Amino acid sequence: MAKIIGGITSSHIPAVGNAISQGLTQEPYWKRFFDGYEPAKDWLKEVKPDLVIVVYNDHGLNFFLDKMPTFALGCADIYENADEGWGLKPTAPFTGDAKLSWHIAQSLVEQEFDICTCQEMKVDHGFVNPIRALFGDHVDWPVKAIPLAVNTVQHPVPSAARCLKLGRALGKALESYPEDTRVVILGTGGMSHQLQGERAGIIDVEFDLECMDKIATEPEWMTQFSNAEIIRRAGSEGIETIMWLVMRGALKDDAAVLHKHYHAPISNTGAGVLVLDNQ
């Protein structure tokens, strides 16, 4: 049977990809941010996942404001990286697992999540940068990967409660998959940041730290907030933190917190890394 061995959270800001490509990870501006990934990288080397499911938001490669599914699942055997305007050199393509993806899709629909299925899907920095930060750059990636896109761009976006429920449904889907596959789920995005308007540059450290603590140990806490309340505290792009709840919902209630790291500001963003062991 498939086994969810844990979950990791990560920011997916575009500048991370540039820092990796330009060899800047140990420069003073970036060092503390990237050092926060070292325990996560060590844990991944220890547990050796076969596949990661990356929960992220698409930034225009597949969906735009005229067509925006609330939830979309990659159901392909390969995913090509493409630049969506940041000038980043595309990485090597990622190997998927279409058989597992279709199993997840079937299970989610049976659990009343009418997910959009994508047999062709390009992946952008939201998907790629967390993988690069955790695994480094490769010609042949050491894990398979499945993209799970959540709309955090075009309102109405799903609630924190809905994302947590999706995670629980995802967990049930994976637990019912008959083939031995070791899975880590990456909840990406956030934390507090806003890219435009009068509040551009907002970072709420207190709220970010509380979200990290509660998502790890008491994820239902986050569901008390409306999207408007989260945006008021965390900024218009800070709503991305709800994607962490998809990861958390798929794990056991008593998943162990192995590592927690927060750094701000980095590219005008509050960035958090959590490692949760589900074994």
Side-chain angles (χ1 to χ4, degrees), residues 145-177:
I146 294 175
L148 175 53
V150 176
N151 170 31
T152 61
V153 175
Q154 172 75 342
H155 293 269
V157 305
S159 66
R162 188 65 171 161
C163 287
L164 186 61
K165 290 176 182 176
L166 173 61
R168 289 172 175 157
L170 175 63
K172 289 181 180 179
L174 289 167
E175 289 168 359
S176 65
Y177 189 61

Side-chain angles (χ1 to χ4, degrees), residues 14 32 64 173:
R32 188 176 184 276
F64 199 59

Side-chain angles (χ1 to χ4, degrees), residues 229-240:
E229 289 171 324
I230 295 172
I231 290 170
R232 191 174 297 116
R233 292 291 302 272
S236 53
E237 282 70 42
I239 191 65
E240 293 172 354

